[in-house]
Amino acid sequence: MTVPVRALIDCHALRHNLNRVRETAPQSQVMAVIKADGYGHGIAVVADALAGADAFAVARLDEAVQLRGQDSEHDICLLSGFYLRDHVAPMRQHRIHPVVHCYEQLALLDVTQSAGLAVWIKLDTGMNRLGFPAAELDRVCGRLSQQGILVIGVMSHLANADDPDDGYTETQLARFLAGTRDRALPRSIANSAALLAWPGTRLEWVRPGIMLYGCSPLKNHDEDELQLRPAMTLTSRVIAVKSVQRGQPVGYGSTWRAERDTRVAIVACGYGDGYPRHAPSGTPVWLGGRRAGLVGRVSMDTLAVAVDDDAAIAVGDEVELWGRHVRVTEVAQSAGTISYELLCRVAARVQREVVG
Ligand SMILES: Cc1ncc(COP(=O)(O)O)c(C=O)c1O
């Protein structure tokens, strides 16, 4: 075991979290979002663990093709769609269902052998990212049917569902329901936050991502409350224990100084492993069976942790950077980012281990 930083991927937790989706939205089919290498957990492992989902969604064609190589059964939705003529043949060959969200894509389909392709249509209900105006659904469906392309569903995406007090979700939902009213097509608008906090968004399909990995998608609601289990535990080891005298600084820039004589554990984990450099002093870690806080700046390969006087800490001890005791959402909040980013950024040099 020469690599100190390890990401333990817990397949039991992934399955448990999928069950939480099923319990919350029992009438809906589940499209598990496993883009960005399964939110950094490893797409092959995640797809295997989440085989109980009804379909998978990824963002890039190469991810979809890779996934099809290991999974011949599930529908695979390509959320960002396609933007080149050359994309059409592999999508047909590998039975990938792209999202069609703009007229340029329809033009590409016109000039390629696209008959037989099955697609989702995306409506823009206020995110102003991808999607046709809701009023244009009929026109788009007409064009696709002329080309022999099957429409298997209509989706939209919510901008503010993570805030249960933000009325924009209701506005977007109302636009989506109005825009799809006259069509007997399966609908999907709910991400994790929406399916948990906004029952009206559950519809025929839900598209959870982050909750499958055990992170709360909602402001002011933590994972315990939502009964989500962390799918990734990031650990490393203590490589030195120092005594820092009162008034002395720790790390680059001397951003932290000891207010009193302090024992400091140096941990083999830094931004080169994907730990956020912007995590300030006080960001929690789990060491020696209790919480402790970062001190000073995170370096490329190490970070420093202030240790209680009575804690028995030694070189070689394991540290949990995030996992069951310290949730990745806490670290993310402390560093001014979101759990999604931290999970996706775990570096290649971190050793992945799979349990369950
Ligand atoms: C179109 C789309 N649907 C669903 C999701 C899943 O969202 P979440 O991870 O917040 O559940 C994403 C993720 O960004 C997305 O882009």
Side-chain angles (χ1 to χ4, degrees):
M1 207 178 37
T2 55
V3 180
V5 191
R6 297 184 307 149
L8 198 73
I9 309 303
D10 182 349
C11 296
H12 288 302
L14 288 164
R15 284 190 286 269
H16 165 87
N17 298 329
L18 175 60
N19 283 339
R20 291 290 301 129
V21 174
R22 294 273 188 213
E23 283 163 11
T24 313
Q27 312 296 333
S28 307
Q29 292 200 272
V30 178
M31 184 185 288
V33 180
I34 59 172
K35 59 189 179 149
D37 200 23
Y39 285 46
H41 294 65
I43 192 167
V45 170
V46 169
D48 202 38
L50 297 179
D54 301 297
F56 291 125
V58 293
R60 303 277 158 84
L61 183 54
D62 57 311
E63 289 176 321
V65 171
Q66 181 197 339
L67 183 58
R68 179 55 82 221
Q70 81 168 74
D71 184 316
S72 58
E73 284 175 22
H74 285 85
D75 281 0
I76 300 174
C77 175
L78 181 55
L79 289 174
S80 316
F82 56 94
Y83 53 91
L84 291 178
R85 191 180 301 177
D86 292 350
H87 294 168
V88 177
M91 290 189 307
R92 284 187 63 204
Q93 183 192 342
H94 298 287
R95 289 179 289 113
I96 292 158
H97 300 157
V99 167
V100 174
H101 52 75
C102 66
Y103 283 106
E104 286 81 353
Q105 290 177 303
L106 294 183
L108 287 176
L109 293 175
D110 276 339
V111 293
T112 48
Q113 296 289 314
S114 46
L117 202 63
V119 305
W120 281 82
I121 295 176
K122 187 162 197 176
L123 300 181
D124 187 351
T125 52
M127 176 98 170
N128 289 312
R129 195 172 64 173
L130 299 178
F132 296 97
E136 289 176 33
L137 181 57
D138 273 352
R139 197 170 147 209
V140 176
C141 284
R143 277 275 294 271
L144 288 167
S145 94
Q146 276 168 13
Q147 291 161 254
I149 294 167
L150 181 68
V151 177
I152 55 175
V154 189
M155 67 168 69
S156 189
H157 197 48
L158 296 164
N160 299 353
D162 58 325
D163 183 351
D165 297 323
D166 191 322
Y168 198 47
T169 298
E170 268 163 9
T171 305
Q172 284 195 262
L173 178 61
R175 288 176 188 161
F176 186 60
L177 295 178
T180 53
R181 192 178 38 221
D182 299 328
R183 289 263 159 195
L185 282 170
R187 300 158 299 172
S188 174
I189 194 168
N191 57 5
S192 302
L195 83 90
L196 288 165
W198 303 88
T201 65
R202 289 173 195 151
L203 304 174
E204 287 76 32
W205 282 87
V206 291
R207 302 192 310 271
I210 198 71
M211 71 178 285
L212 294 171
Y213 307 97
C215 299
S216 169
L218 294 172
K219 282 188 183 145
N220 307 325
H221 295 272
D222 69 18
E223 287 76 9
D224 289 337
E225 219 179 316
L226 301 171
Q227 296 170 51
L228 298 174
R229 290 194 199 148
M232 182 193 290
T233 300
L234 190 73
T235 64
S236 189
R237 300 276 171 176
V238 174
I239 58 168
V241 183
K242 305 192 72 77
S243 299
V244 179
Q245 285 178 353
R246 181 166 170 262
Q248 287 298 306
V250 170
Y252 287 119
S254 303
T255 57
W256 181 88
R257 280 177 193 275
E259 283 177 7
R260 54 187 180 79
D261 294 355
T262 306
R263 275 199 311 150
V264 170
I266 307 299
V267 177
C269 181
Y271 61 81
D273 300 291
Y275 195 89
R277 181 175 176 275
H278 291 107
S281 293
T283 301
V285 301
W286 183 259
L287 173 58
R290 65 179 83 169
R291 279 175 175 251
L294 251 55
V295 292
R297 276 203 187 132
V298 173
S299 321
M300 186 183 290
D301 309 300
T302 59
L303 52 81
V305 175
V307 174
D308 290 341
D309 294 337
D310 64 338
I313 300 302
V315 168
D317 283 358
E318 190 173 88
V319 185
E320 179 189 295
L321 285 323
W322 60 68
R324 192 160 63 87
H325 301 97
V326 171
R327 299 298 189 139
V328 64
T329 41
E330 286 181 76
V331 179
Q333 267 163 25
S334 183
T337 182
I338 51 175
S339 56
Y340 303 64
E341 185 181 14
L342 298 192
L343 294 173
C344 289
R345 281 204 170 179
V346 172
R349 76 175 181 182
V350 172
Q351 184 170 318
R352 264 72 171 181
E353 282 171 34
V354 179
V355 290

